[in-house]
Amino acid sequence: MRETWVFDWPKNAQRGSLTSVFETLLSEKKTEFGIFLSYYTRAAGAIAENVRLLEVTAAKPALRGSIWLGFHKVYYNACLNIHESDPEKIRVDFAANRSEEKLVLTGPDIPEREPDEL
């Protein structure tokens, strides 16, 4: 399983600073980032919340690279009175397309489990 999301380039990010671009994008699209990361946490029965930028690594001329996102993996179970959260981090690759004003984020490739045989 590998998830990909496309975001519009943030209009009010500082020119030339990828860190600023991702911080602006996270502040504007915090819910969407939580949904994106929840695709990776749902197998454990959790959702992702409190997403934050940890690090940006880019190749020159900064059109491709990766970011590290920190988040809390939150478990809810009302029947057992559980509300726990574990700190997590994940590496997400990005590709910037400045001509189309798009930013493509691609999560890690996590192999899906094959069905059990009877």
Side-chain angles (χ1 to χ4, degrees):
M1 170 181 84
R2 177 174 237 159
E3 299 296 331
T4 301
W5 277 43
V6 179
F7 290 97
D8 292 328
W9 195 269
K11 302 286 186 229
N12 54 353
Q14 291 179 0
R15 202 109 171 110
S17 170
L18 275 176
T19 301
S20 170
V21 167
F22 284 109
E23 286 174 348
T24 303
L25 190 62
L26 269 169
S27 68
E28 292 175 357
K29 306 284 186 179
K30 198 164 202 76
T31 302
E32 286 86 345
F33 271 90
I35 293 168
F36 173 67
L37 295 179
S38 289
Y39 283 118
Y40 291 98
T41 61
R42 70 177 173 210
I47 60 171
E49 290 183 348
N50 304 323
V51 181
R52 65 198 178 285
L53 182 66
L54 299 176
E55 181 182 345
V56 177
T57 307
K60 300 293 182 206
L63 296 176
R64 293 191 169 287
S66 61
I67 59 174
W68 281 94
L69 298 173
F71 62 96
H72 285 101
K73 193 182 332 182
V74 180
Y75 302 90
Y76 291 101
N77 187 326
C79 296
L80 299 175
N81 196 22
I82 296 173
H83 179 171
E84 298 176 357
S85 65
D86 295 334
E88 292 280 332
K89 66 180 181 177
I90 191 169
R91 182 178 158 229
V92 176
D93 296 325
F94 71 87
N97 187 335
R98 289 294 302 176
S99 62
E100 294 181 16
E101 297 291 318
K102 299 290 182 189
L103 191 58
V104 180
L105 301 181
T106 306
D109 188 16
I110 298 176
E112 291 187 45
R113 181 178 160 196
E114 295 294 324
D116 295 333
E117 292 187 27
L118 297 177

